């Protein structure tokens, strides 16, 4: 392997230690900890695991968190009522609705119901719109985490050719906006893109977020490129894999993220940062009256 490994766990640990100091200062100043409420609908084992990880990370960072569990057949109005309660609860700074939701619930309607100032996932149309207009407020966690990884690894973005594979609302699209904001020339590929390899070959920064194991072949990677693999795919043998053929790509890339241990931990770290940011802004507003 010739690429430098981007160790998301190590970068996350350092950032979470700094964050814990900031939340401690917040608690002394305001007489309370920042608060996060997580809504988990249904009984998906994977979602339950993600939510537990977020709760543990909150505890370590000095953020008070509560998990609200609702049944899989929960009607939309009940979930919306729960969100309304949290929107007006002064002790709650951040609200996160764990995705994916059961099919009868429309995520667009549910996510828009969250107060944009408490939307620590950064999925509310106001927060995505602000990012598009170059005035980011609460940034979508995974793309913001990728930008932190690039910065922490000293990878220049300004003027670079960046290619994002995947165009979902929660990863690919906001990822493209983040890279554009940082001055990259951005190409977004998706399931209708013709000749994916020709785009990937041009990438100085490649972000793979298609949810398709091994989609990106090692031989497509440009020499020295930064390869950020957002994909998390469960293989039939139970192992986790990204979207990139890791071993072959690492022979050509300049930097590469592992899966697991690359982007995943940064997503949770950004969630913690967003919660502290939301709490600080709420306190500032309260003091301004
Ligand atoms: P999604 O299914 O909503 O979107 C996938 C995108 O990839 C779509 O835009 C689709 O057009 C594109 N795509 C699919 N097949 C393609 C192909 N053959 N060629 C080009 N484009 C293709 O998925 P998502 O929610 O954006 O998640 C993507 C991946 O990232 C998944 O593996 C998911 O588990 C992972 N993920 C990781 C984190 C993290 O923290 N590391 C967070 C969110 C999602």
């Amino acid at each position: 392997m010739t690429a430098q490994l981007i160790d998301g766990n190590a970068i996350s640990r350092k950032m979470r230690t700094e964050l814990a100091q900031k939340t401690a200062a917040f608690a002394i100043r305001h007489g309370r900890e920042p608060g996060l409420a997580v809504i988990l609908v249904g009984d998906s084992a994977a979602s339950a695991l993600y939510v537990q990880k977020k709760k543990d990370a909150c505890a370590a960072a000095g953020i008070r968190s509560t998990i609200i569990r609702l049944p899989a057949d929960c009607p939309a109005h009940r979930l919306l009522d729960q969100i309304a309660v949290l929107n007006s609860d002064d002790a709650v700074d951040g609200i996160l609705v764990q995705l994916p939701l059961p099919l009868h619930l429309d995520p667009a309607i549910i996510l828009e119901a969250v107060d944009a100032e408490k939307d620590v996932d950064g999925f509310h149309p106001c927060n995505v719109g602000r990012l598009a207009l170059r005035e980011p407020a609460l940034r979508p966690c995974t793309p913001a985490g990728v930008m932190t990884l690039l910065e922490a690894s000293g990878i220049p973005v300004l003027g670079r050719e960046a290619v994002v594979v995947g165009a979902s609302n929660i990863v690919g699209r906001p990822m493209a906006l983040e890279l554009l904001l940082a001055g990259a020339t951005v190409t977004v590929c998706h399931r209708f893109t013709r000749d994916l390899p020709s785009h990937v070959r041009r990438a100085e920064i490649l972000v793979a977020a298609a949810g398709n194991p091994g989609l990106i072949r090692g031989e497509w990677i440009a020499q020295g490129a930064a390869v950020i693999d957002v994909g998390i795919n469960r293989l039939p043998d139970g192992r986790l894999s990204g979207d990139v053929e890791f071993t072959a790509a690492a022979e050509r890339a300049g930097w590469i993220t592992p899966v697991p241990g690359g982007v995943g931990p940064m997503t949770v770290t950004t969630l913690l940062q967003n919660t502290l940011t939301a709490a600080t802004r709420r306190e500032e507003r309260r003091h301004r009256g």
Side-chain angles (χ1 to χ4, degrees):
M1 168 166 157
T2 54
Q4 204 173 308
L5 197 70
I6 301 177
D7 184 345
N9 281 323
I11 295 169
S12 269
R13 257 195 308 277
K14 183 167 171 283
M15 301 197 68
R16 289 188 200 185
T17 304
E18 289 165 9
L19 191 86
Q21 289 163 358
K22 290 184 191 159
T23 55
F26 175 96
I28 290 167
R29 180 142 190 231
H30 301 293
R32 67 179 188 91
E33 294 174 328
L36 172 70
V38 180
I39 303 178
L40 176 59
V41 186
D43 43 22
S44 145
S47 290
L49 187 67
Y50 283 132
V51 165
Q52 189 57 45
K53 273 193 183 174
K54 289 169 187 172
K55 190 171 170 53
D56 294 346
C58 281
I63 293 172
R64 194 180 40 76
S65 69
T66 44
I67 302 176
I68 295 147
R69 293 184 169 80
L70 296 173
D73 62 356
C74 171
H77 69 81
R78 193 171 153 204
L79 177 53
L80 292 169
D81 286 349
Q82 179 63 68
I83 292 170
V85 168
L86 296 173
N87 280 345
S88 53
D89 183 340
D90 257 352
V92 172
D93 300 293
I95 302 169
L96 181 159
V97 181
Q98 183 65 37
L99 299 178
L101 286 166
L103 289 177
H104 68 282
L105 296 168
D106 180 345
I109 292 172
I110 302 302
L111 295 177
E112 197 165 343
V114 173
D115 180 345
E117 284 162 358
K118 295 188 176 189
D119 167 43
V120 284
D121 249 343
F123 293 158
H124 191 283
C126 279
N127 286 319
V128 180
R130 281 185 174 281
L131 180 60
L133 296 174
R134 295 182 274 185
E135 296 165 2
L138 293 170
R139 311 165 97 121
C141 292
T142 300
V146 169
M147 298 311 288
T148 309
L149 284 182
L150 293 172
E151 197 186 333
S153 308
I155 297 166
V157 179
L158 190 78
R160 300 294 154 126
E161 286 285 337
V163 175
V164 180
V165 182
S168 72
N169 286 354
I170 64 170
V171 190
R173 275 162 208 264
M175 185 73 250
L177 292 172
E178 284 282 3
L179 288 162
L180 190 58
L181 183 62
T185 300
V186 185
T187 302
V188 183
C189 302
H190 44 75
R191 68 179 85 246
F192 303 119
T193 296
R194 288 175 295 150
D195 197 4
L196 180 63
S198 72
H199 294 288
V200 172
R201 283 194 171 99
R202 279 191 300 104
E204 296 174 288
I205 298 170
L206 175 73
V207 181
N212 188 335
L215 171 70
I216 311 290
R217 310 270 286 274
E219 75 229 35
W220 300 350
I221 303 296
Q223 287 292 343
V227 177
I228 310 293
D229 195 348
V230 179
I232 302 179
N233 309 293
R234 181 74 65 186
L235 299 178
D237 66 5
R239 282 182 303 131
L240 284 184
S241 153
D243 289 349
V244 179
E245 271 185 351
F246 181 86
T247 309
E251 292 302 326
R252 300 172 62 86
W255 298 265
I256 193 165
T257 57
V259 177
V263 176
M266 282 312 299
T267 298
V268 179
T269 301
T270 310
L271 170 70
L272 302 174
Q273 286 175 327
N274 276 352
T275 304
L276 178 60
T277 300
T280 305
R281 289 188 184 153
R282 290 186 64 242
E283 287 295 342
E284 283 168 1
R285 271 195 301 279
R286 202 198 315 263
H287 286 108
R288 277 202 305 268

